[in-house]
Amino acid sequence: MRQLTGLTSITFALLASPAFAAGDKGFVSLGNTDFVVLLGLIVFIAILIYFKVPTMIGGMLDSRADGIQSELDEARQLRDEAQSLLASYERKQREVQDQADRIVAAAKEEAIVAAAQAREDLAQSLDRRMAAAQEQITNAQTAAIKEVRDQSVTVAMSVARDVIAKQMTAAQANGLIDDAIKQVDAKLH
């Protein structure tokens, strides 16, 4: 009903125009091209409104905005997970360092107790225990650092692969492959 009221008011506004008052054929005539174009425009706009095209376009834009927002949320979540994983490995490294410090402290205490028993036994025992403690510390540190690096590399490669896969076009990928082939060829010859 509103559409008919709007169309009726537009029609009356056009009928009251100076072109209609001029008289010749009159504005409201199928012989007047301005009137025919106006009728076509009104029919076109009415069809768009009837089939709810503006609502469909708005819905498509809203769904696209929701998709972009979900991708941003996922990227934030991945960043947060990477940061928590890094914090976890740093905490593990501190724990390993504390354990290494406790091992060194325990070895020193045992060396002091052994010194009271005998000076000669102390020299031999201290050398063996310190070597074992240092090797254990070195092994523990090496294992912890390797584990942290391996996990960091895995996470970084995964995140980088996802980011590159989303941002790289086929032409860019082909360019990178060609550059890699040229570099390998140059290094082999």
Coordinates of all heavy atoms in Angstrom, one line a residue, residues 93-146:
Q93 N 61.9 -24.1 30.4 CA 63.3 -23.8 30.4 C 63.8 -23.3 31.8 O 64.9 -23.7 32.3 CB 63.7 -22.8 29.3 CG 65.1 -22.6 29.1 CD 65.4 -21.6 28.0 OE1 64.5 -21.0 27.5 NE2 66.7 -21.5 27.6
R94 N 63.0 -22.4 32.4 CA 63.4 -21.9 33.7 C 63.4 -23.1 34.7 O 64.3 -23.2 35.6 CB 62.4 -20.9 34.2 CG 62.6 -19.5 33.5 CD 61.8 -18.4 34.2 NE 60.4 -18.7 34.2 CZ 59.6 -18.2 33.3 NH1 60.0 -17.6 32.2 NH2 58.3 -18.5 33.3
E95 N 62.4 -24.0 34.6 CA 62.4 -25.1 35.6 C 63.6 -26.0 35.4 O 64.2 -26.5 36.4 CB 61.1 -26.0 35.3 CG 59.8 -25.3 35.8 CD 58.6 -26.0 35.3 OE1 58.7 -27.1 34.7 OE2 57.5 -25.5 35.6
V96 N 64.0 -26.2 34.1 CA 65.2 -27.0 33.9 C 66.4 -26.3 34.5 O 67.3 -27.0 35.0 CB 65.3 -27.3 32.4 CG1 66.7 -27.8 32.0 CG2 64.3 -28.2 31.9
Q97 N 66.5 -25.0 34.3 CA 67.6 -24.3 34.9 C 67.6 -24.4 36.4 O 68.7 -24.5 37.0 CB 67.5 -22.8 34.4 CG 68.7 -22.0 34.9 CD 70.0 -22.5 34.3 OE1 70.1 -22.8 33.1 NE2 71.0 -22.5 35.1
D98 N 66.4 -24.3 37.0 CA 66.3 -24.4 38.5 C 66.8 -25.8 38.9 O 67.5 -26.0 39.9 CB 64.9 -24.2 39.0 CG 64.5 -22.7 38.8 OD1 65.4 -21.8 38.7 OD2 63.3 -22.4 38.9
Q99 N 66.4 -26.8 38.1 CA 66.8 -28.2 38.4 C 68.3 -28.3 38.3 O 68.9 -28.9 39.1 CB 66.1 -29.2 37.5 CG 66.4 -30.6 37.8 CD 65.7 -31.5 36.8 OE1 65.0 -31.1 35.9 NE2 65.9 -32.8 37.1
A100 N 68.8 -27.7 37.3 CA 70.3 -27.7 37.1 C 71.0 -27.1 38.2 O 72.0 -27.6 38.7 CB 70.7 -27.1 35.8
D101 N 70.4 -25.9 38.7 CA 71.0 -25.2 39.8 C 71.0 -26.1 41.1 O 71.9 -26.2 41.9 CB 70.3 -23.9 40.1 CG 70.6 -22.9 39.0 OD1 71.6 -23.1 38.2 OD2 69.8 -21.9 38.9
R102 N 69.8 -26.8 41.3 CA 69.7 -27.7 42.4 C 70.7 -28.8 42.4 O 71.3 -29.3 43.4 CB 68.3 -28.2 42.6 CG 67.3 -27.2 43.0 CD 66.0 -27.8 43.4 NE 65.4 -28.5 42.3 CZ 64.5 -28.0 41.4 NH1 64.2 -26.7 41.5 NH2 64.0 -28.8 40.5
I103 N 70.9 -29.4 41.1 CA 71.9 -30.5 41.0 C 73.3 -30.0 41.3 O 74.0 -30.7 42.0 CB 71.8 -31.0 39.5 CG1 70.5 -31.7 39.3 CG2 73.0 -31.9 39.2 CD1 70.2 -32.1 37.9
V104 N 73.6 -28.8 40.8 CA 75.0 -28.2 41.1 C 75.1 -28.0 42.6 O 76.1 -28.4 43.2 CB 75.2 -26.9 40.3 CG1 76.4 -26.2 40.8 CG2 75.3 -27.2 38.9
A105 N 74.1 -27.5 43.3 CA 74.1 -27.2 44.7 C 74.3 -28.6 45.5 O 75.0 -28.6 46.4 CB 72.9 -26.5 45.2
A106 N 73.5 -29.6 45.0 CA 73.6 -30.9 45.7 C 75.0 -31.5 45.5 O 75.6 -32.1 46.5 CB 72.5 -31.8 45.2
A107 N 75.6 -31.3 44.4 CA 76.9 -31.8 44.1 C 77.9 -31.2 45.0 O 78.9 -31.8 45.5 CB 77.3 -31.7 42.6
K108 N 77.8 -29.8 45.2 CA 78.7 -29.1 46.0 C 78.6 -29.5 47.5 O 79.6 -29.7 48.2 CB 78.5 -27.6 45.9 CG 79.0 -27.0 44.6 CD 78.7 -25.5 44.5 CE 79.2 -25.0 43.2 NZ 79.0 -23.5 43.0
E109 N 77.4 -29.7 48.0 CA 77.2 -30.2 49.3 C 77.8 -31.5 49.6 O 78.4 -31.8 50.6 CB 75.7 -30.2 49.7 CG 75.1 -28.8 49.9 CD 73.6 -28.9 50.1 OE1 73.1 -30.0 50.5 OE2 72.9 -27.8 50.0
E110 N 77.6 -32.4 48.6 CA 78.2 -33.8 48.7 C 79.7 -33.7 48.7 O 80.4 -34.5 49.4 CB 77.7 -34.7 47.6 CG 76.2 -35.0 47.7 CD 75.7 -35.8 46.5 OE1 76.5 -36.2 45.7 OE2 74.5 -36.1 46.5
A111 N 80.2 -32.8 47.9 CA 81.7 -32.6 47.9 C 82.2 -32.1 49.2 O 83.3 -32.5 49.7 CB 82.0 -31.6 46.8
I112 N 81.5 -31.2 49.9 CA 81.9 -30.7 51.2 C 81.9 -31.9 52.3 O 82.8 -32.0 53.1 CB 81.0 -29.6 51.7 CG1 81.3 -28.3 50.8 CG2 81.3 -29.2 53.1 CD1 80.3 -27.2 51.0
V113 N 80.8 -32.7 52.2 CA 80.8 -33.8 53.2 C 81.9 -34.8 52.9 O 82.5 -35.3 53.8 CB 79.4 -34.5 53.1 CG1 79.4 -35.8 53.9 CG2 78.3 -33.5 53.6
A114 N 82.2 -35.0 51.6 CA 83.2 -36.0 51.3 C 84.6 -35.4 51.7 O 85.5 -36.2 52.0 CB 83.2 -36.3 49.8
A115 N 84.8 -34.1 51.7 CA 86.1 -33.5 52.1 C 86.4 -33.8 53.5 O 87.6 -34.0 53.9 CB 86.1 -32.0 51.8
A116 N 85.4 -33.9 54.4 CA 85.6 -34.2 55.8 C 86.1 -35.6 56.0 O 86.8 -35.9 56.9 CB 84.3 -33.9 56.6
Q117 N 85.7 -36.5 55.2 CA 86.1 -37.9 55.3 C 87.5 -38.1 54.9 O 88.3 -38.8 55.6 CB 85.1 -38.8 54.5 CG 83.7 -38.8 55.1 CD 82.8 -39.7 54.2 OE1 83.2 -40.3 53.2 NE2 81.6 -39.8 54.7
A118 N 87.9 -37.7 53.7 CA 89.2 -37.9 53.3 C 89.6 -37.0 52.1 O 88.8 -36.8 51.2 CB 89.4 -39.4 52.9
R119 N 90.8 -36.4 52.2 CA 91.2 -35.5 51.1 C 91.4 -36.2 49.8 O 91.0 -35.7 48.7 CB 92.5 -34.8 51.5 CG 92.3 -33.9 52.7 CD 92.0 -32.5 52.1 NE 91.8 -31.6 53.3 CZ 91.0 -30.6 53.2 NH1 90.4 -30.3 52.1 NH2 90.9 -29.8 54.2
E120 N 91.9 -37.4 49.8 CA 92.2 -38.1 48.5 C 90.9 -38.6 47.9 O 90.7 -38.5 46.7 CB 93.1 -39.3 48.8 CG 94.5 -38.9 49.1 CD 95.4 -40.1 49.3 OE1 95.1 -41.2 48.8 OE2 96.5 -39.9 49.9
D121 N 90.0 -39.1 48.7 CA 88.7 -39.6 48.2 C 87.9 -38.4 47.6 O 87.2 -38.5 46.6 CB 87.9 -40.2 49.3 CG 88.4 -41.5 49.7 OD1 89.3 -42.1 49.0 OD2 88.1 -42.0 50.8
L122 N 88.1 -37.2 48.2 CA 87.4 -36.0 47.7 C 87.8 -35.7 46.3 O 87.0 -35.4 45.5 CB 87.7 -34.8 48.7 CG 87.2 -33.5 48.2 CD1 85.7 -33.5 48.1 CD2 87.7 -32.4 49.0
A123 N 89.1 -35.7 46.0 CA 89.6 -35.4 44.7 C 89.0 -36.3 43.7 O 88.5 -35.8 42.6 CB 91.1 -35.4 44.7
Q124 N 89.1 -37.6 43.9 CA 88.5 -38.6 42.9 C 87.0 -38.5 42.8 O 86.4 -38.5 41.7 CB 89.0 -40.0 43.3 CG 90.5 -40.2 43.3 CD 90.8 -41.6 43.8 OE1 90.0 -42.3 44.3 NE2 92.1 -41.9 43.8
S125 N 86.4 -38.4 44.0 CA 84.9 -38.4 44.0 C 84.4 -37.1 43.4 O 83.4 -37.1 42.6 CB 84.4 -38.5 45.4 OG 83.0 -38.4 45.5
L126 N 85.0 -36.0 43.7 CA 84.6 -34.7 43.2 C 84.7 -34.7 41.7 O 83.8 -34.2 41.0 CB 85.4 -33.6 43.9 CG 84.9 -32.2 43.5 CD1 83.5 -31.9 43.9 CD2 85.8 -31.2 44.2
D127 N 85.8 -35.2 41.2 CA 86.0 -35.2 39.7 C 84.9 -36.0 39.0 O 84.3 -35.5 38.0 CB 87.4 -35.7 39.4 CG 88.5 -34.7 39.7 OD1 88.2 -33.5 39.9 OD2 89.7 -35.2 39.8
R128 N 84.6 -37.2 39.6 CA 83.6 -38.0 38.9 C 82.2 -37.4 39.0 O 81.5 -37.3 38.0 CB 83.6 -39.4 39.6 CG 84.7 -40.3 39.2 CD 84.4 -41.7 39.7 NE 84.0 -41.8 41.1 CZ 84.8 -42.1 42.1 NH1 86.1 -42.5 41.9 NH2 84.3 -42.2 43.3
R129 N 81.9 -36.9 40.2 CA 80.5 -36.3 40.4 C 80.3 -35.0 39.6 O 79.3 -34.7 39.0 CB 80.3 -36.1 41.8 CG 80.1 -37.4 42.6 CD 79.8 -37.2 44.0 NE 79.7 -38.5 44.7 CZ 79.0 -38.7 45.8 NH1 78.3 -37.7 46.3 NH2 79.0 -39.9 46.3
M130 N 81.3 -34.2 39.6 CA 81.2 -32.9 38.8 C 81.1 -33.2 37.3 O 80.3 -32.5 36.7 CB 82.4 -32.0 39.1 CG 82.4 -31.3 40.5 SD 80.9 -30.3 40.8 CE 81.3 -29.0 39.7
A131 N 81.9 -34.1 36.9 CA 81.8 -34.5 35.4 C 80.4 -35.0 35.1 O 79.8 -34.7 34.1 CB 82.8 -35.5 35.1
A132 N 79.9 -35.9 36.0 CA 78.5 -36.4 35.8 C 77.4 -35.3 35.9 O 76.5 -35.3 35.1 CB 78.2 -37.5 36.8
A133 N 77.6 -34.5 36.9 CA 76.6 -33.4 37.0 C 76.7 -32.4 35.8 O 75.6 -32.0 35.3 CB 76.9 -32.6 38.3
Q134 N 77.8 -32.1 35.4 CA 78.0 -31.2 34.2 C 77.4 -31.8 33.0 O 76.7 -31.2 32.2 CB 79.4 -30.8 34.0 CG 80.0 -29.8 35.0 CD 79.2 -28.5 35.0 OE1 78.7 -28.1 34.0 NE2 79.2 -27.9 36.2
E135 N 77.7 -33.1 32.8 CA 77.1 -33.8 31.6 C 75.6 -33.9 31.7 O 74.9 -33.7 30.7 CB 77.7 -35.2 31.6 CG 77.3 -36.0 30.3 CD 77.9 -37.4 30.2 OE1 79.0 -37.6 30.8 OE2 77.3 -38.2 29.6
Q136 N 75.1 -34.2 32.9 CA 73.6 -34.2 33.1 C 73.0 -32.9 32.8 O 72.0 -32.8 32.2 CB 73.3 -34.7 34.5 CG 71.9 -35.1 34.7 CD 71.7 -35.7 36.1 OE1 72.4 -35.5 37.0 NE2 70.6 -36.4 36.2
I137 N 73.6 -31.8 33.3 CA 73.1 -30.5 33.1 C 73.2 -30.1 31.6 O 72.2 -29.6 31.1 CB 74.0 -29.4 33.9 CG1 73.7 -29.6 35.4 CG2 73.7 -28.0 33.5 CD1 74.7 -28.8 36.3
T138 N 74.3 -30.4 31.0 CA 74.5 -30.2 29.6 C 73.4 -30.9 28.8 O 72.8 -30.4 27.9 CB 75.9 -30.5 29.1 OG1 76.8 -29.8 29.9 CG2 76.1 -30.2 27.6
N139 N 73.2 -32.2 29.1 CA 72.2 -33.0 28.4 C 70.8 -32.5 28.6 O 70.0 -32.4 27.7 CB 72.3 -34.5 28.9 CG 73.6 -35.2 28.4 OD1 74.2 -34.7 27.4 ND2 73.9 -36.3 29.0
A140 N 70.5 -32.1 29.9 CA 69.2 -31.6 30.2 C 69.0 -30.2 29.4 O 67.9 -30.0 28.9 CB 69.0 -31.4 31.7
Q141 N 70.0 -29.4 29.5 CA 69.8 -28.1 28.8 C 69.7 -28.3 27.3 O 68.9 -27.7 26.6 CB 71.0 -27.2 29.1 CG 71.0 -26.6 30.4 CD 72.3 -25.8 30.7 OE1 73.3 -25.9 30.1 NE2 72.2 -24.9 31.7
T142 N 70.5 -29.2 26.7 CA 70.5 -29.5 25.3 C 69.1 -30.0 24.9 O 68.5 -29.6 23.9 CB 71.6 -30.4 24.9 OG1 72.9 -29.9 25.3 CG2 71.6 -30.7 23.4
A143 N 68.6 -31.0 25.7 CA 67.3 -31.5 25.4 C 66.2 -30.5 25.5 O 65.3 -30.5 24.6 CB 67.0 -32.7 26.3
A144 N 66.3 -29.7 26.5 CA 65.2 -28.7 26.7 C 65.3 -27.6 25.6 O 64.2 -27.3 25.0 CB 65.4 -28.0 28.0
I145 N 66.5 -27.2 25.2 CA 66.6 -26.2 24.1 C 66.1 -26.8 22.8 O 65.4 -26.1 22.0 CB 68.1 -25.7 24.1 CG1 68.3 -24.8 25.3 CG2 68.3 -24.9 22.8 CD1 69.8 -24.4 25.5
K146 N 66.5 -28.0 22.6 CA 66.1 -28.7 21.3 C 64.6 -28.8 21.2 O 64.0 -28.6 20.2 CB 66.8 -30.1 21.2 CG 66.5 -30.8 19.9 CD 67.1 -32.1 19.8 CE 66.9 -32.8 18.5 NZ 65.6 -32.9 18.0

